[in-house]
Amino acid sequence: MEKLCSIKGSKLYFNGEELLKIESIEKNEVKTLPVRQAIKSQLLNSMATFMSGSLINGNEQCIVGLNIIQKDKKEIWIPFHEGSVTRFNLDYHQYVKNARELKDKILKYIIKTQE
């Protein structure tokens, strides 16, 4: 299930609950964090990747989210989905797109209010 982030007025909402005021944001960035897997799964996946001649890991699990650093240096992590997602599949690309769109909306709001 995709988690919903939105901007209403000068506030950022996460799943319908107020998270923070946008003016308090110093920096925001889209991140994909790797998910640790059991050793057996990592070894099997590494062997399959090597044997296929592929240059990328075909089953790397990660979490897509937006990392927000506030002016008081407090960090807030907003994941865009439950659980993990396989890197470079269609769901992964959609979550990254959604996170980038939210990042851009936040930046546009900050620039607009500074004018």
Side-chain angles (χ1 to χ4, degrees), residues 24-42:
S24 69
I25 297 174
E26 181 178 315
K27 180 181 175 184
N28 65 355
E29 59 186 338
V30 176
K31 285 190 172 183
T32 56
L33 304 177
V35 174
R36 294 193 184 261
Q37 297 176 332
I39 297 292
K40 182 179 177 182
S41 296
Q42 286 180 336

Side-chain angles (χ1 to χ4, degrees), residues 1-3 14-15 62-64 79-85 95:
M1 179 176 102
E2 186 174 335
K3 296 189 178 183
F14 181 61
N15 284 345
C62 64
I63 300 171
V64 178
F80 272 73
H81 53 88
E82 305 264 339
S84 62
V85 65
Y95 294 135

Side-chain angles (χ1 to χ4, degrees), residues 66-107:
L66 188 66
N67 190 47
I68 295 175
I69 300 172
Q70 294 180 291
K71 292 179 181 173
D72 63 359
K73 304 303 178 201
K74 180 180 171 185
E75 284 193 44
I76 298 174
W77 171 252
I78 303 173
F80 272 73
H81 53 88
E82 305 264 339
S84 62
V85 65
T86 303
R87 188 180 297 266
F88 304 123
N89 73 5
L90 293 176
D91 290 336
Y92 167 85
H93 288 294
Q94 187 62 48
Y95 294 135
V96 169
K97 179 182 174 190
N98 293 347
R100 286 180 180 157
E101 286 174 355
L102 180 62
K103 176 186 172 189
D104 291 343
K105 285 180 186 177
I106 291 170
L107 291 175

